[in-house]
Amino acid sequence: MTVTAAQRLLEADLHQTEFQIGVAKCQWSLVRPVTEAEWPHVYTWISATPRMASPGRLMVRWDLDGYNAASPTGAFWDFDRHDFRPIKDWPKGKPGSVVAAVFKTEGWAAPGRGFYHPYDRQARAGHNQWPDQNPRHIWMTKNTLTDFLSLVHRWLNCEDYLGCAPPH
């Protein structure tokens, strides 16, 4: 297999200071190196504030097809099952919070398969109003995976994060 331009761009982004600072602070890390065999899927760990019966970090599988001209889509992943984390085990947020909104698992086209946020390629589809409502959270080619990782890390480490059930 050949390394795509998108994969080369991601590799360069992973060597940038912003990504490396997150790794050094144990906020996130790659689960394993990016490979042509798994591309466009990339797996990361993202740390979470300790909550009762919840893991201290969660795995996210990112689909980076067309990176970075196209925005990523990411979802929590169950390493042992090699599948999306079951919806019942997704992180929860206080009602009405941003955390509850972005980790919602009902009422949209891809529950449990993406984050309900303007950066997420799956969630963005069908939400033509989002660029006007959230101009700073619309994916542009200047954005990197680190921008999205930073948001997920923030959501998993704020007061509104209530925790989630551990994987089976």
Side-chain angles (χ1 to χ4, degrees):
M1 296 182 83
T2 344
V3 175
T4 66
Q7 188 177 343
R8 282 193 300 277
L9 182 56
L10 175 69
E11 289 286 355
D13 288 346
L14 297 178
H15 287 91
Q16 294 294 321
T17 303
E18 294 80 12
F19 180 81
Q20 293 301 317
I21 287 172
V23 171
K25 290 182 173 182
C26 298
Q27 295 173 333
W28 54 72
S29 64
L30 289 174
V31 172
R32 55 183 171 257
V34 178
T35 66
E36 293 88 29
E38 290 185 316
W39 185 261
H41 297 125
V42 173
Y43 300 84
T44 60
W45 289 111
I46 302 177
S47 68
T49 295
R51 300 288 191 252
M52 186 177 292
S54 294
R57 65 183 186 170
L58 291 154
M59 185 183 293
V60 174
R61 183 185 83 160
W62 300 97
D63 180 337
L64 300 176
D65 191 32
Y67 184 80
N68 77 348
S71 62
T73 190
F76 295 112
W77 191 255
D78 187 317
F79 184 80
D80 296 328
R81 293 176 54 242
H82 304 286
D83 199 358
F84 293 102
R85 189 176 177 92
I87 288 173
K88 67 181 182 55
D89 296 337
W90 265 56
K92 310 294 185 279
K94 289 181 183 174
S97 70
V98 170
V99 176
V102 296
F103 296 156
K104 78 187 240 174
T105 56
E106 295 177 3
W108 72 288
R113 302 292 190 262
F115 300 118
Y116 195 72
H117 185 273
Y119 271 3
D120 194 282
R121 182 172 61 239
Q122 291 188 87
R124 174 72 179 85
H127 290 91
N128 296 333
Q129 74 281 12
W130 278 2
D132 294 330
Q133 293 173 345
N134 304 290
R136 67 186 188 121
H137 285 133
I138 298 302
W139 188 266
M140 298 198 234
T141 56
K142 68 177 181 154
N143 291 110
T144 68
L145 180 61
T146 304
D147 296 322
F148 211 157
L149 285 167
S150 297
L151 288 174
V152 177
H153 179 265
R154 181 179 351 157
W155 300 325
L156 291 173
N157 290 278
C158 70
E159 290 179 7
D160 292 335
Y161 168 62
L162 300 176
C164 55
H168 302 107

